[in-house]
Amino acid sequence: GIQVEQSPPDLILQEGANSTLRCNFSDSVNNLQWFHQNPWGQLINLFYIPSGTKQNGRLSATTVATERYSLLYISSSQTTDSGVYFCASEGLNDYKLSFGAGTTVTVRA
Amino acid sequence: DTGVSQDPRHKITKRGQNVTFRCDPISEHNRLYWYRQTLGQGPEFLTYFQNEAQLEKSRLLSDRFSAERPKGSFSTLEIQRTEQGDSAMYLCASSIQGPNVLTFGAGSRLTVL
């Protein structure tokens, strides 16, 4: 299946800082999603973004499918942004998402 | 629409016992997925259904694991003769055919003593 690598594995931010999380994937995809996992384990879908750029409040994401990577931007971070961010992708002939190992974000007040 | 529901949220069992988890997907979603997540790792695919048909199973799904989705509605995941290595969070997700945007439930956390 498709391989997904995320970097960095851990990120510590001061409240108000901006950050960029990266996701590399090993093959062409027809689906890429970013999730936030809260401290209770719930995975929340942030973006469905197989290509292009989307924005939702202080979060935005860009996927460059031809170069096989996606970026998640967090601007003006808040303590509530803390948690684990996962990137997941689905190959062209696949019907399941493969997840990366995640980036653990800690935002300090 | 109450989202994806999973039950129980927590299960503690002794090694060798059988456990069953239930997932109720979003009502109009015809695809249903089971994933397993251990501490510090991303979710790993176990199996998925389209309607009542189980279309793919991971090699992670040993013969002690069985999943069903009768009538294409709710799904159950049963683990027989549990082992300590089965301790994990079991996540269910559903999606509607088309762009495969998954919605996850809150998960069922299994602890095998």
Side-chain angles (χ1 to χ4, degrees):
Chain A
I2 199 160
Q3 305 300 311
V4 180
E5 292 184 355
Q6 291 187 244
S7 59
D10 299 282
L11 195 56
I12 299 175
L13 302 170
Q14 204 62 35
E15 199 169 30
N18 303 329
S19 63
T20 302
L21 284 59
R22 186 178 179 102
C23 169
N24 293 332
F25 40 93
S26 61
D27 207 343
S28 299
V29 299
N30 58 15
N31 184 353
L32 188 130
Q33 293 176 47
W34 284 96
F35 294 88
H36 177 225
Q37 189 165 44
N38 66 23
W40 298 272
Q42 175 80 58
L43 279 165
I44 305 298
N45 192 306
L46 298 175
F47 294 102
Y48 165 75
I49 186 165
S51 63
T53 297
K54 289 186 178 180
Q55 181 154 6
N56 185 359
R58 295 180 296 100
L59 301 180
S60 62
T62 295
T63 297
V64 183
T66 53
E67 296 186 23
R68 300 181 184 172
Y69 73 89
S70 183
L71 302 174
L72 178 70
Y73 304 97
I74 306 174
S75 64
S76 304
S77 57
Q78 299 178 0
T79 55
T80 52
D81 295 330
S82 296
V84 185
Y85 290 79
F86 288 103
C87 167
S89 64
E90 178 182 305
L92 295 182
N93 297 311
D94 212 348
Y95 296 96
K96 62 183 184 292
L97 288 178
S98 296
F99 282 76
T103 293
T104 301
V105 174
T106 304
V107 182
R108 293 181 173 164
Chain B
D1 179 4
T2 57
V4 179
S5 299
Q6 293 190 243
D7 184 71
R9 294 291 312 280
H10 302 276
K11 178 71 176 179
I12 300 173
T13 191
K14 292 182 179 179
R15 189 176 53 187
Q17 298 295 304
N18 300 342
V19 296
T20 300
F21 301 114
R22 177 181 170 122
C23 172
D24 287 89
I26 293 172
S27 57
E28 64 267 26
H29 285 188
N30 60 345
R31 287 184 180 159
L32 186 148
Y33 294 79
W34 286 99
Y35 282 79
R36 180 172 67 188
Q37 186 179 22
T38 54
L39 197 62
Q41 303 296 317
E44 295 174 300
F45 169 78
L46 293 179
T47 187
Y48 95 96
F49 294 83
Q50 182 153 311
N51 300 313
E52 67 275 9
Q54 188 174 20
L55 296 186
E56 188 172 346
K57 292 194 296 185
S58 165
R59 287 172 292 175
L60 293 174
L61 213 64
S62 77
D63 57 5
R64 297 185 297 104
F65 287 70
S66 62
E68 294 182 341
R69 193 183 182 196
K71 302 180 183 178
S73 56
F74 71 93
S75 177
T76 58
L77 176 69
E78 181 183 17
I79 309 173
Q80 296 183 325
R81 305 180 304 280
T82 53
E83 302 172 357
Q84 287 185 326
D86 297 331
S87 295
M89 175 79 90
Y90 290 84
L91 296 162
C92 177
S94 68
S95 67
I96 196 164
Q97 197 155 354
N100 199 23
V101 181
L102 267 61
T103 300
F104 278 84
S108 293
R109 184 172 296 281
L110 173 65
T111 302
V112 182
L113 302 176

